[in-house]
């Protein structure tokens, strides 16, 4: 089923072999309530705890591909959610720092990581808008919730040569990549519409 899912993603334009390898390896059904097991390998988003969703596999693969993760890269993830995207980043051998603002989800996923042997560098309960200044700069930053605008703190915490992938917008979001060319210069690219749960500021 995982191989079939990877084939669907290839048809949709995912080309990064390491990302496809992660999709083929990670047991997505473990990240969902057991009642959804039959749906785990469809290319669809599904509800999880705290009114959040586990992202569509295509979205996870698309964002991961845009990040250009190399082994040992420091990656900041805003929105741990079910932990599926975190697992993909760990499979790519990134050092992952992940922030979740929903306490119920944070506790559940942290426990789950321990059981499954997934080891992010840090799992943090807090406000993703602020990023993680004490661990900055990062090789890349991934935001897994729709942001009405790009948080400046996240731009500031990116290394020169680093990449920020963030869905920007209120109803529908535009997947946006910011590449940091120098201390003051960013290159921006947009990659079409996606739909995410909202990224909320100062709300835990």
């Amino acid at each position: 089923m995982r191989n079939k899912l990877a084939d669907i993603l290839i048809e949709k334009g995912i080309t990064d072999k390491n990302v496809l390898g992660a999709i083929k390896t990670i047991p997505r059904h473990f990240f969902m309530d057991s009642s959804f097991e039959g749906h785990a390998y469809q290319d669809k988003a599904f509800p999880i705890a705290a009114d959040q969703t586990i992202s569509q596999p295509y979205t996870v693969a698309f964002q991961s591909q845009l990040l250009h993760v190399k082994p040992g890269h420091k990656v900041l993830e805003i929105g741990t959610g079910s932990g599926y995207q975190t697992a993909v980043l760990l499979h790519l051998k990134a050092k992952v720092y992940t922030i979740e603002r929903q306490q119920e989800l944070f506790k559940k996923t942290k426990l789950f990581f321990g059981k499954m042997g997934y080891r992010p560098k840090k799992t943090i309960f807090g406000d993703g808008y602020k990023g993680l200044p004490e661990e900055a700069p990062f090789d890349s930053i991934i935001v897994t919730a729709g942001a009405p605008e790009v948080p400046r703190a996240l731009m500031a915490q990116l290394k020169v040569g680093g990449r920020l992938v963030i869905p920007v917008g209120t109803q529908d979001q535009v997947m946006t990549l910011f590449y940091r060319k120098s201390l003051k210069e960013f290159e921006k690219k947009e990659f079409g519409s996606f739909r995410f749960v909202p990224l909320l500021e100062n709300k835990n």
Side-chain angles (χ1 to χ4, degrees), residues 116-135:
M116 292 290 292
Y118 289 117
R119 294 195 176 83
K121 281 283 174 197
K122 278 192 180 172
T123 310
I124 297 130
F125 172 60
D127 181 1
Y129 248 81
K130 298 184 176 75
L132 200 60
E134 65 272 26
E135 295 291 350

Side-chain angles (χ1 to χ4, degrees), residues 1 28-29 32-42 46:
M1 285 168 91
R28 188 172 183 252
H29 61 283
M32 299 164 73
D33 292 335
S34 59
S35 55
F36 287 133
E37 225 162 82
H39 301 288
Y41 299 104
Q42 295 176 18
F46 275 99

Side-chain angles (χ1 to χ4, degrees), residues 83-101:
Y84 182 65
Q85 175 72 72
T86 320
V88 170
L89 296 169
L90 290 170
H91 186 87
L92 300 173
K93 299 185 170 62
K95 293 174 182 168
V96 184
Y97 298 77
T98 183
I99 303 177
E100 176 55 56
R101 66 174 187 83

Side-chain angles (χ1 to χ4, degrees), residues 35-190:
S35 55
F36 287 133
E37 225 162 82
H39 301 288
Y41 299 104
Q42 295 176 18
D43 189 26
K44 287 180 181 168
F46 275 99
I48 54 171
D51 293 328
Q52 303 299 296
T53 58
I54 179 170
S55 290
Q56 182 183 354
Y58 172 71
T59 304
V60 171
F62 191 83
Q63 284 193 283
S64 302
Q65 180 167 284
L66 284 181
L67 284 181
H68 292 189
V69 177
K70 300 279 186 289
H73 268 189
K74 265 178 94 171
V75 180
L76 175 61
E77 178 186 35
I78 309 300
T80 316
S82 69
Y84 182 65
Q85 175 72 72
T86 320
V88 170
L89 296 169
L90 290 170
H91 186 87
L92 300 173
K93 299 185 170 62
K95 293 174 182 168
V96 184
Y97 298 77
T98 183
I99 303 177
E100 176 55 56
R101 66 174 187 83
Q102 299 276 359
Q103 193 156 23
E104 177 193 355
L105 209 47
F106 168 76
K107 285 178 177 169
K108 190 177 174 184
T109 304
K110 192 169 184 180
L111 209 66
F112 173 74
F113 283 157
K115 268 191 210 157
M116 292 290 292
Y118 289 117
R119 294 195 176 83
K121 281 283 174 197
K122 278 192 180 172
T123 310
I124 297 130
F125 172 60
D127 181 1
Y129 248 81
K130 298 184 176 75
L132 200 60
E134 65 272 26
E135 295 291 350
F138 294 95
D139 294 291
S140 51
I141 299 174
I142 178 170
V143 179
T144 64
E149 59 199 30
V150 184
R152 285 181 180 275
L154 299 186
M155 305 279 275
Q157 289 170 35
L158 206 55
K159 267 183 192 173
V160 172
R163 302 164 83 86
L164 164 64
V165 174
I166 180 168
V168 184
T170 43
Q171 294 300 317
D172 278 349
Q173 290 87 26
V174 175
M175 191 66 75
T176 310
L177 166 68
F178 290 92
Y179 173 73
R180 188 164 202 171
K181 293 173 80 172
S182 67
L183 280 175
K184 292 191 174 169
E185 201 182 353
F186 289 85
E187 189 180 288
K188 176 183 172 183
K189 285 185 182 169
E190 294 183 340

